[in-house]
Amino acid sequence: MADTQQSALPDREGPESIGGWLVLPMLGLMLTPILGLVQLHNSDYLGMLQNWQAYSLSQGVLILAELVISGILNLTAPALLLFFMFKRWQIFPGWYMIWALAMPVYAGLDPWAVHLAFPTVVPELPDAYDADTVGGISRSIWAAVIWVPYMMRSERVANTFVN
């Protein structure tokens, strides 16, 4: 009976398992929460939330939205994607691509929202896009440009995530 079940599975040609270039997105998913925690620490959201009375409604909403969205994109999503990856679930490549495309969108829109909500702190829109911010946006765009097509076309990805 076991021989019959094994022969019923199609033989996959080409590389499979988490290896090759697939290790790099895995390392990125492992490092993202660490960098997210450092960013969270440096942003002092706790201090902002403790002084919530000093902010207008739009500023408070922005701070809370940043905290939630950043927590999802930088902490929760990478952990969930790593779970999907190590379980070799078929949904991993699609959800990874959604996450990889959401990162530059968030990185690009967040400074604009800060400019709108805090006009006295960031009076000009170019001030919101400092060198560090533009560097982060560029890195996330390049990551999406590289890894989204890889997830779509790689034989290793197709052979690994078939469950």
Side-chain angles (χ1 to χ4, degrees):
M1 183 80 150
D3 294 332
T4 312
Q5 289 177 348
Q6 286 179 350
S7 64
L9 294 174
D11 289 334
R12 295 180 293 223
E13 292 186 22
E16 59 182 275
S17 78
I18 299 171
W21 290 107
L22 194 53
V23 170
L24 293 177
M26 180 186 70
L27 291 174
L29 287 171
M30 289 177 174
L31 288 175
T32 299
I34 295 168
L35 297 174
L37 287 172
V38 168
Q39 180 185 16
L40 189 64
H41 178 266
N42 292 341
S43 297
D44 190 32
Y45 282 109
L46 188 58
M48 290 181 201
L49 291 174
Q50 288 175 343
N51 297 319
W52 64 271
Q53 297 95 347
Y55 299 108
S56 70
L57 179 62
S58 63
Q59 292 170 336
V61 168
L62 176 65
I63 292 169
L64 191 59
E66 279 185 338
L67 188 59
V68 170
I69 295 169
S70 180
I72 291 169
L73 289 177
N74 291 321
L75 304 173
T76 308
L80 191 60
L81 287 168
L82 282 169
F83 176 77
F84 293 163
M85 179 183 242
F86 289 126
K87 286 288 193 176
R88 297 183 185 182
W89 285 0
Q90 188 176 9
I91 61 172
F92 170 75
W95 281 103
Y96 183 89
M97 290 185 283
I98 291 168
W99 175 75
L101 293 170
M103 292 295 281
V105 170
Y106 172 71
L109 291 178
D110 184 49
W112 174 73
V114 169
H115 164 69
L116 292 177
F118 293 91
T120 57
V121 178
V122 186
E124 299 293 325
L125 186 58
D127 296 336
Y129 293 94
D130 61 2
D132 289 339
T133 303
V134 171
I137 294 168
S138 297
R139 282 188 299 278
S140 62
I141 289 171
W142 278 110
V145 164
I146 292 168
W147 296 117
V148 168
Y150 175 78
M151 293 293 166
M152 293 172 68
R153 296 184 179 172
S154 168
E155 267 186 56
R156 179 178 298 276
V157 170
N159 289 341
T160 301
F161 303 103
V162 294
N163 298 345

